Structure formats: C-alpha cells, structure tokens
C-alpha cells in the first residue's frame, strides 16, 4: 500500500498527464483542420457543390416518398436469401380467398369478351355487379364500407379478371390504385373521408384521377394546369384552368381527382403553400362545392386506346372556381400534392399493371400451352417441335419470373413497406416480360390468334399490352431515368447523406465522413467481387438453388461496386441514359433473380419446379452479365470501364442464356398435366361453358395426352386400339377438331357483298381488237 502522503503527489502527476494528453489532442485537431484545407477534401467538396444540380422540390418529394426495402440490400452488395425467406411471406386471408373463388368468378362468367369488343363498353349488368360487390373499394377500410383487402388480394383479383377481360380488369384496377381513395385515407379531412369513402366503397361514386396533360406525359410535374387563389362571395377558393387527357374512367366518373399547380399572388393562404395541389371535384353538387357544384367541369369525350373497350377520356375546365374545401386535406394541404401522389400512387404501380401482365403469361401458359399439345402438324403435336418449344419455354419462364416477383413484392407490402424503387422495377420488368410472352403466344397459335371472334383467347391481351407498357410512366423513361436514378439516390446506403451535405453547402465535416464511407463501401464490394468471383469458378451445379444463390451474391457485389464507380459521373449520370438504363437492367434482374429463388424456396414441394428455376435464373444472370458488359464498353470516363471489368468479369463472359435441353424440359412441363403447369396457371379463370375455347383446351390437354399415348403404344405393339381405347381416341379427336376451328362471320359491322363491289367496267380479251378489224 502507498503511504497516504504520496496520494496527493500521485493525483497531481495524473492530472498533469491528462492535461498534456488533452493539449496534444487539441493540437492534432487543429493541425488536421489545416492539413484538410490543403488536401483534396475541400477542393472536392467545392467541386461537388459546383457540379451537383440543385434537387428540385418534386425530386425531393420522390426521394423522400415511401420506404427503402430490399433495394437497399441490393445496393449494399450483400443481399441475403435466408433473411428474405425467413422474414417475408404472403398469403390471402380466408375472406380474400372466398372473394376470389366466388364474386370474382361470378363476374368473369358474366363477361362476353367478343360482345364487349363490339360494344366498346361493359354491359350494364357487369358495371352494376362490379359496383355492388365493392370491387372498386377493395382497398378502402371496412369501417368506411370497403373490403379492407391487402395489396396481394387486390393483385390477385385484378389478375383473375384480366385473364378473362382487360376492360373489366382496368375498371376494377384504377379505383383501387389510381383513384382518390388512398389519398383520402391518408390526407383527407374527416369530413371528406366520411362523405366520399363510403360512396366510393359501395360504388355509388366512380372515381378517376386527372394527372396527365398534353405537355406532361411521363413528366407529370411539368403540367401546365394552373390555379390562382382567390376569394369569391366570401368563399376562399381557386380559379383553375386544366386540360387532362388519357384519364381512365373519366367518361363515366362522378368524382374527379385533379392535380394542378397553385399560385397565391395575393397572399390569401393562411395555411399550406404554393405548388402542386390535389382537389376532389364531384360532378354533382355536394357540401364541399356549394349549391351550384363545380361549374365548368367537363368530363368525358372518349379516347379509343387500341379498341380495348375500357373508359378513357379527357377532363377539362376553363376558369373553374374550386372552393378550398375541395382540396384533399383542406387548405393546409395546398402545395403538398406531389408529395401526396408520390407517397400513395407508387404502391399501386407495383400491383395493378404487373397483375395484367402476369394474367397474360398465365393465360398463355394454360391456353397456348394446351393448344400446342392439342394442335397437330405433320402428325405430331406442335408442342413437340423445337421451334415451338423455344417459345413455350419463354412463356413458362416469364410466367414463373413475374409470378415470383409479384408474390415477393406483395410480401413486402404486407410487412408495411412502400418501396417506390421496387414498384418501378415491378411495373417495368413485368410488363416488358408480359409483352414478350404475348408475342411468343401469338406466334404459336398463328391464325387462331389473329382471327378475332368468340373463340379467340389471346388477341385481347396482345392488343392491350402496349397500353400497360405506356401508362403510369412509359417504360423507356422508367428504365432510363427512374429505376437506377431514383434507386441510386434513395437506396444507396450512403449517397443520399452525401448529397444532403452538398445541398447544405456548409457541411464539410459531413461530406468528408460520407465520402469516406462511400469509398469504403466501394472497396468492400470490390473485395467481395473478386472473392465471390473466384469462389463460383469452382462451384459445381449439383444444387440449382445453391448454385444460383452464390452467383447472384457475386453479381450483387459486382453491381454495388460498379454503381459506386458510376458516382464518378456526378450529376451528369442523369443525362447518361444509355448507362443509367443498363444499370437499371442489372438492378431489375437482381430483384427478379432473388424473387425467383425466394418463390422457389416457398414452393419446393412442386415436382420439377427446379427445372423452371434453372431456366429462369440462367436468363437472369445472363441479362445481368450483358448489361454490365454494356456498361464496361460504354462508360464515358476512359479507363474506368476496363477497370470495372478487371475486378468483376476478368475472364470475360461466363454465363449463357440457358440450354436447348432446359427449354425442351420447361416446354414439356407446361404442355402436359404436371404440377408445374398447375402452379403456373393458378388463379386463371376457366369458364364452366363447355363451348368456351379455354374450357375446351383445359379439358383437352389430359385427354389428348392420353389418346396420343395410346396410339403410340399401339404403334409400338403393332396392334389396333381396344374398344375403350378407341372411345378415348375418338373423344380426343372430336375435341381437337373443335379447338382448331376459328370464327367466321356472314358480315362484320356492315355487309360486304354489295352492288358497290360489282364491276361496272369491261375489258377486251387480248387480240380481240385486231380480230375485229
């Protein structure tokens, strides 16, 4: 023990030591600050401030909308399939399943596709059934009279109806995804909710939403529609001029959601602000409009979108007075319309249009796959011909991929996520694949696909697919600007923080910190790219899922590293749409690949589903490889493209787009009665009418397979069929003969054998003139 007299001396010495340490720390800090000002960090910050474009209010709203989900894992470069499988699941409630099995089935059975095509409208009883069964209010809460369905139920109902008729599906889809119901739910005043939501839920009101104008297609924020705040007869409101087009349900709408730019030159607003504003305009007077309603509101001249029969048209108004009480959320929500739209409508983009595309793939799998087994050429089913098998395999692969993507996205929604980047990926990836699938389907059915009539089961989907490609953000723009552009800023683990320090203009310390984190992030994924790239070179393909999981892990690290290198383009990346589009292709296919593996994990019990997974994943990794190669070859900064390739694909191309053996197997699985065919055609409506062509094909597949097997056995055994066998053969041939017939009409719209077609002129036979002389 120390003597007590030494304790004060020891304490003094310790204090002096601590003081010297603190002084040294202070000196180091000041020296570091001086050095920093002399190093590249401050010039880099100044350069970043000078070249980084200012983020606009609408861009900020998009960046701050929704939630970040699995997209962040992809940008991190280290997604985890096990975490996905354990944390996310999706299923229908018993109530939702019952609605799908009953009300949705009844609606589909009511529909006469060809008659709707002729009338260019749904019949009155179909409109009434949709409205009375609350199909327009599926997502509205039960306390307001809606069905309170999940996003997954919404998707499955639209998918089932779309398999029967696109116009009916769109009529159900739009109020649940683009209608004002979601905006009212989140932002409406209580009075607005109490009035409108029950009416929307019960189908009393039919909604539409006016966003797109002549000068603002995909660039909706540049709309010309403008309102000015004014006071009239003691009522605060707005005088608004607007001209909207391509508005689905506008011709029959009773309540119109309207987006416009609001100005307040006289400073009359006491709440809210200038900017994009969203109002709800009823076509008849109510408590929000006053006794005269919204005078000057015009809805209804119809567009004709490829004769697809759904209601689509214009919404116009000139110098229309709109009371402030019509603004969704009231005066305090003026100027916040873009934020509201970004928060609420992005989710529907990932549900509705993908559901239409998935329905197309599933119907093609069921009906075209069946048709290929039934239809014979050169005495064999065309499903056995390799040229047809190639197209069938594409249909099966695409149906598996898009179904997997839908289920995983819906699982994210069920967990409370609202991921705008994944929503954009869903819209683009599913509709593009749907377009490819329907083209392959039309090639297979040939003349039966191009001859319109009650027997044609593919023309409607073929006709409508360009609409899905175009609406809710044209796919070209979605790919080249939104998916990677928004994804990079929104989902990168460090970039948005860095951008915010630049926008602040005086956060040198924050800039240094986040720049260092990005550099560390890039180096980490460079290491992962090299390590995982070496590991997959020696991995055998004994387990399909394990093989692709490791390859996808490698490709995710490649993407994250290359995305960080892409930051060297700064704000210029916005205009490098060739490059941005290829980055988007990588990101989309990463999502699609993990969705396929997640979906397979949940359906491993389906016999031979691994064969479909193999082909689907082969296409995914090939697409990623090709997109990365395009980035390497075209990167604008010399030397960086080859540098990226050296660390990610040093051996050049390594992946192929599947093999012929894989394609033949998938084609066989979707054209014969297999578990794979059953799971890929789940939720497809099949009419109970025995004259319905899809019904006939569904029955014929098993019958024709059995009949063909009997005939093959008889040939091998050199014998005649037994009496029972002959009955089966005859039944199959009778049904086969009926299925291959196409529609023909005495007249189409108007008689064609008329006097106008009779020649009223003559011609002389060759040499007749000379003989006459």
């Amino acid at each position: 023990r120390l003597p007590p007299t030494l304790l004060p001396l020891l304490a003094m010495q310790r204090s002096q030591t601590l003081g010297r340490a603190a002084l040294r720390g202070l000196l180091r800090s000041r020296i570091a600050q001086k050095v920093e000002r002399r190093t590249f960090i401050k010039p880099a910050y100044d350069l970043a401030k000078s070249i980084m474009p200012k983020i606009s209010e609408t861009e900020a709203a998009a960046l701050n909308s929704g939630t970040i989900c699995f997209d962040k894992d992809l940008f991190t470069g280290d997604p985890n399939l096990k975490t996905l499988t354990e944390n996310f699941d999706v299923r229908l409630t018993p109530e939702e399943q019952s609605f799908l099995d009953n009300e949705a089935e009844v609606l589909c059975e009511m529909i006469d596709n060809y008659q709707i095509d002729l009338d260019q409208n749904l019949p009155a009883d179909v409109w009434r059934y949709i409205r009375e069964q609350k199909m327009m209010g599926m997502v509205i809460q039960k306390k307001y009279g809606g069905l309170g369905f999940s996003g997954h139920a919404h998707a499955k109902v639209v998918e089932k109806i779309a398999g029967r008729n696109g116009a009916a599906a769109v009529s159900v889809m739009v109020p649940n995804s683009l209608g004002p119901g979601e905006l009212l739910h989140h932002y409406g005043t209580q009075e607005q909710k109490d009035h409108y939501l029950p009416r929307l839920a019960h189908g009393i009101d039919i909604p539409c939403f006016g966003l797109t104008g002549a000068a603002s297609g995909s660039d909706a924020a540049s709309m010309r529609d403008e309102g000015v705040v004014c006071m009239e007869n003691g009522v605060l409101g707005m005088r608004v001029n607007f001209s909207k087009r391509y508005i689905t349900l506008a011709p029959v709408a009773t309540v119109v959601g309207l987006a416009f730019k609001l100005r307040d030159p006289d400073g009359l607003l006491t709440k809210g602000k200038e900017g994009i504003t969203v109002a709800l305009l009823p076509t008849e007077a109510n408590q929000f409009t006053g006794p005269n309603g919204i005078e000057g509101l015009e809805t209804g001249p119809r567009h004709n979108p490829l004769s697809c029969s759904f209601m689509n048209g214009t919404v116009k108004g000139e110098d229309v007075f709109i009371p402030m009480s019509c603004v969704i959320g009231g005066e305090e929500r003026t100027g916040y319309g873009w934020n509201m739209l970004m928060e609420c409508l992005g989710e529907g983009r990932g549900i509705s249009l993908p559901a239409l595309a998935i329905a197309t793939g599933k119907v093609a799998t069921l009906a075209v796959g069946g048709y290929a087994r039934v239809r014979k050429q050169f005495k064999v089913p065309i499903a056995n011909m390799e040229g047809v098998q190639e197209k069938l395999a594409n249909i099966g692969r695409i149906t598996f991929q898009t179904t997997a993507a839908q289920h995983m996205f819906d699982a994210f929604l069920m967990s409370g996520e609202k991921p705008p980047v994944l929503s954009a990926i869903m819209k683009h990836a599913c509709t593009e694949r749907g377009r490819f699938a329907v083209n392959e389907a039309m090639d297979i059915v040939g003349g039966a696909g191009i001859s319109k009539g009650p027997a044609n089961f593919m023309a409607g989907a073929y006709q409508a697919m360009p609409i899905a490609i175009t609406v809710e953000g044209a796919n070209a723009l979605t790919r080249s600007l939104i998916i990677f552009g928004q994804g990079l800023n929104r989902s990168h683990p460090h970039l948005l923080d860095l951008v915010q320090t630049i926008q602040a203009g005086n956060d040198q310390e924050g800039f240094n910190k986040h720049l260092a984190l990005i550099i560390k992030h890039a180096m980490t994924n460079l290491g992962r790219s090299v390590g995982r790239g070496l590991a997959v070179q020696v991995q055998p393909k004994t387990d399909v899922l394990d093989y692709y999981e490791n390859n996808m892990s490698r490709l995710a690290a490649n993407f994250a590293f290359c995305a960080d290198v892409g930051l060297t383009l700064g704000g210029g990346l916005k205009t490098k749409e060739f490059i941005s589009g290829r980055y988007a292709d990588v990101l989309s296919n990463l999502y699609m690949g993990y969705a396929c593996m997640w979906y397979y994990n949940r359906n491993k019990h389906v016999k031979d589903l691994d064969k479909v997974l193999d082909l689907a994943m082969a296409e995914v990794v090939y697409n990623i490889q090709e997109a990365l190669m395009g980035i390497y070859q075209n990167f604008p900064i010399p030397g960086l493209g080859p540098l990226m390739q050296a660390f990610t694909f040093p051996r050049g191309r390594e992946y192929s787009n599947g093999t012929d053996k894989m394609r033949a197997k998938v084609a066989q699985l979707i054209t014969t009665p297999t578990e794979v065919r059953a799971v890929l055609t789940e939720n497809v409506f099949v009419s109970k009418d025995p004259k319905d062509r899809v019904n006939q094909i569904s029955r014929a597949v098993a019958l024709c397979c059995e009949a063909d097997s009997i005939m093959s056995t008889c040939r091998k055994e050199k014998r005649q069929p037994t009496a029972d066998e002959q009955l089966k053969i005859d039944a199959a041939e009778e049904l086969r003969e009926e299925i291959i017939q196409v529609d023909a009409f005495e007249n189409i719209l108007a008689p064609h054998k008329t006097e106008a077609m009779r020649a009223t002129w003559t011609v002389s036979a060759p040499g007749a003139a000379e003989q006459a002389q």
Side-chain angles (χ1 to χ4, degrees):
R1 290 177 66 179
L2 291 172
T5 54
L6 290 179
L7 291 177
L9 293 173
L10 193 62
M12 186 182 297
Q13 183 180 2
R14 189 176 298 164
S15 176
Q16 289 172 348
T17 303
L18 291 173
R20 285 194 296 269
L23 181 60
R24 284 197 299 269
L26 180 61
L27 289 172
R28 287 196 192 103
S29 174
R30 290 183 176 176
I31 291 169
Q33 290 176 3
K34 291 180 180 178
V35 170
E36 184 181 88
R37 284 194 291 268
R38 292 185 176 92
T39 58
F40 75 96
I41 296 292
K42 190 171 188 306
Y45 187 48
D46 293 338
L47 177 64
K49 287 190 292 184
S50 67
I51 65 173
M52 179 67 70
K54 188 74 175 174
I55 295 178
S56 68
E57 189 174 349
T58 54
E59 288 174 320
L63 289 176
N64 293 321
S65 68
T67 62
I68 308 169
C69 186
F70 181 59
D71 40 329
K72 183 174 181 178
D73 296 339
L74 296 175
F75 274 94
T76 301
D78 199 26
N80 190 300
L81 180 60
K82 182 180 179 183
T83 301
L84 271 180
T85 304
E86 291 177 351
N87 293 346
F88 297 100
D89 191 14
V90 65
R91 57 173 56 89
L92 298 172
T93 66
E95 182 184 3
E96 291 168 342
Q97 186 64 58
S98 174
F99 190 89
L100 204 59
D101 295 338
N102 294 286
E103 286 86 347
E105 283 276 326
V106 170
L107 173 63
C108 290
E109 199 70 77
M110 293 171 68
I111 289 170
D112 181 336
N113 268 327
Y114 186 61
Q115 193 59 49
I116 289 172
D117 195 33
L118 293 177
D119 296 340
Q120 286 296 292
N121 193 2
L122 302 177
D125 62 333
V126 170
W127 274 115
R128 187 177 185 86
Y129 188 82
I130 287 171
R131 298 167 74 178
E132 288 183 344
Q133 297 305 316
K134 304 183 181 181
M135 291 188 182
M136 290 182 169
M138 286 190 291
V139 300
I140 294 175
Q141 290 177 301
K142 287 185 177 182
K143 70 177 182 179
Y144 292 109
L147 297 177
F149 280 180
S150 64
H152 189 51
H154 169 197
K156 301 308 280 186
V157 171
V158 171
E159 177 190 300
K160 171 162 278 192
I161 300 169
R164 180 63 164 174
N165 180 265
V170 169
S171 301
V172 169
M173 172 188 89
V174 167
N176 289 288
S177 59
L178 296 177
E182 188 79 0
L183 291 166
L184 283 167
H185 170 67
H186 287 285
Y187 303 109
T189 65
Q190 195 57 52
E191 185 183 8
Q192 289 170 340
K193 292 178 183 180
D194 291 341
H195 176 79
Y196 283 114
L197 289 178
R199 293 173 62 87
L200 291 167
H202 288 270
I204 296 168
D205 276 329
I206 297 176
C208 72
F209 195 87
L211 182 60
T212 303
S216 55
S218 296
D219 181 18
S222 67
M223 65 184 76
R224 293 173 179 168
D225 314 285
E226 187 175 88
V228 177
V229 180
C230 60
M231 183 74 74
E232 295 191 7
N233 300 320
V235 177
L236 183 66
M238 303 149 286
R239 280 284 171 185
V240 187
N241 292 290
F242 51 93
S243 179
K244 305 291 188 179
R245 63 180 184 179
Y246 308 149
I247 311 305
T248 299
L249 294 182
V252 294
T254 62
V255 60
V256 179
L258 183 72
F260 57 93
K261 289 182 176 177
L262 182 65
R263 294 191 301 109
D264 182 23
D266 298 325
L268 297 176
L269 289 174
T270 59
K271 308 171 190 173
K273 61 179 183 176
E274 295 183 322
I276 294 176
T277 299
V278 178
L280 205 53
L281 314 181
T283 57
E284 296 182 358
N286 62 23
Q287 69 258 40
F288 302 103
T289 66
N292 296 325
I294 305 297
E295 295 180 294
L297 171 64
E298 300 175 18
T299 62
R302 284 183 71 179
H303 299 305
N304 182 3
L306 292 177
S307 299
C308 287
S309 306
F310 65 89
M311 290 291 158
N312 186 273
T314 62
V315 174
K316 295 181 179 181
E318 187 173 340
D319 199 30
V320 175
F321 180 74
I322 301 174
M324 197 61 69
S325 56
C326 289
V327 173
I328 295 179
E331 182 185 344
E332 66 185 66
R333 282 288 171 184
T334 54
Y336 291 96
W338 194 248
N339 304 63
M340 294 158 62
L341 293 172
M342 290 296 99
E343 283 285 346
C344 292
L345 302 187
E347 180 183 329
R349 179 173 57 179
I351 294 174
S352 301
L353 292 169
L356 300 182
I358 292 160
T360 298
K362 288 190 171 184
V363 170
T365 302
L366 180 78
V368 177
Y371 182 87
R373 181 56 57 188
V374 172
R375 176 71 160 152
K376 286 188 174 182
Q377 295 283 273
F378 310 106
K379 298 184 179 179
V380 297
I382 62 173
N384 292 346
M385 298 178 177
E386 291 183 354
V388 174
Q389 287 178 344
E390 184 175 10
K391 296 179 180 297
L392 288 166
N394 286 333
I395 292 171
R397 166 183 60 78
I398 287 169
T399 304
F400 176 81
Q401 290 171 331
T402 53
T403 301
Q406 176 198 57
H407 280 236
M408 192 165 84
F409 182 79
D410 292 351
F412 293 149
L413 298 183
M414 289 193 75
S415 71
E417 301 287 355
K418 289 191 172 185
V421 175
L422 297 186
S423 179
I425 289 173
M426 281 291 295
K427 191 271 177 177
H428 175 266
C430 291
T431 55
E432 287 293 341
R433 281 173 165 83
R435 170 159 60 180
F436 190 63
V438 77
N439 285 341
E440 298 288 65
M442 290 292 284
D443 281 357
I444 293 168
V445 294
I450 63 174
S451 299
K452 296 189 73 173
N456 193 315
F457 51 87
M458 282 311 302
Y462 176 76
Q463 204 167 302
M465 189 53 67
I467 300 171
I469 297 290
T470 300
V471 299
E472 293 193 51
N475 276 10
L477 177 142
T478 300
R479 172 182 176 266
S480 60
L481 289 179
I482 296 176
I483 292 175
F484 183 69
Q486 186 177 355
L488 183 64
N489 286 288
R490 186 81 170 93
S491 309
H492 190 286
H494 308 297
L495 181 60
L496 187 56
D497 292 330
L498 182 76
V499 170
Q500 287 171 345
T501 67
I502 298 170
Q503 297 290 320
N506 59 356
D507 189 3
Q508 174 80 61
E509 183 180 349
F511 177 82
N512 297 350
K513 174 186 172 183
H514 296 299
L515 179 60
L517 287 173
I518 287 177
I519 294 171
K520 180 182 177 182
H521 182 260
M523 293 301 102
T524 298
N525 281 297
L526 185 153
R528 286 172 179 159
S529 294
V530 173
R532 294 172 184 176
L534 290 172
V536 298
Q537 305 304 319
V538 295
Q539 181 180 8
K541 197 177 178 182
T542 51
D543 182 291
V544 172
L545 180 62
D546 186 57
Y547 172 81
Y548 283 114
E549 183 180 357
N550 287 329
N551 277 274
M552 288 293 289
S553 182
R554 174 253 185 118
L555 293 168
N558 294 168
F559 167 73
F561 168 64
C562 293
D564 284 344
V565 175
L567 295 178
T568 57
L569 294 173
L573 184 58
K574 251 185 175 182
T575 60
K576 303 297 182 185
E577 294 177 31
F578 285 128
I579 295 296
S580 180
R582 294 186 182 102
Y583 275 118
D585 292 341
V586 180
L587 182 57
S588 295
N589 278 279
L590 283 171
Y591 173 79
M592 189 65 71
Y594 274 96
C596 288
M597 294 188 293
W598 174 88
Y599 183 76
Y600 174 76
N601 256 337
R602 316 197 81 75
N603 294 276
K604 283 182 178 179
H605 60 280
V606 177
K607 184 182 178 183
D608 288 328
L609 194 61
D610 59 319
K611 307 298 190 300
V612 187
L613 175 71
D614 196 4
L615 184 63
M617 292 303 301
E619 191 254 1
V620 163
V621 297
Y622 177 80
N623 287 346
I624 294 172
Q625 168 188 268
E626 293 306 297
L628 287 172
M629 288 294 176
I631 293 169
Y632 305 151
Q633 293 162 9
N634 295 279
F635 200 77
I637 300 177
L640 288 187
L643 180 68
M644 284 189 281
Q645 182 175 349
F647 288 114
T648 56
F649 276 85
R651 296 173 56 234
R653 287 175 167 82
E654 299 177 20
Y655 300 112
S656 67
N657 194 7
T659 65
D660 292 345
K661 184 178 180 181
M662 292 159 64
R663 294 184 183 91
K665 182 61 179 177
V666 171
Q668 185 267 334
L669 287 170
I670 69 166
T671 59
T672 53
T674 62
E675 292 181 28
V676 166
R677 177 174 163 84
V679 78
L680 294 184
T681 58
E682 173 267 336
N683 199 40
V684 176
F685 171 76
V686 178
S687 173
K688 295 178 178 64
D689 181 0
K691 294 293 184 183
D692 179 86
R693 189 52 46 87
V694 175
N695 173 298
Q696 292 173 339
I697 292 172
S698 298
R699 288 185 286 119
V701 171
L703 189 58
C704 289
C705 283
E706 186 179 6
D708 290 346
S709 177
I710 290 169
M711 290 188 287
S712 176
T713 300
C714 289
R715 285 193 295 271
K716 290 177 182 176
E717 297 176 359
K718 297 181 180 180
R719 65 174 178 84
Q720 293 298 311
T722 65
D724 286 343
E725 289 174 336
Q726 191 60 52
L727 286 174
K728 291 178 180 179
I729 293 170
D730 291 344
E733 291 304 314
E734 181 180 355
L735 194 51
R736 195 192 310 267
E737 186 64 26
E738 193 167 355
I739 287 170
I740 65 174
Q741 303 305 314
V742 297
D743 296 295
F745 306 93
E746 287 298 324
N747 294 298
I748 297 178
L749 297 182
H752 49 271
K753 292 182 179 179
T754 64
E755 282 300 312
M757 297 304 295
R758 186 187 298 277
T760 57
W761 58 96
T762 60
V763 62
S764 301
E770 290 82 353
Q771 291 176 7
Q773 291 175 356

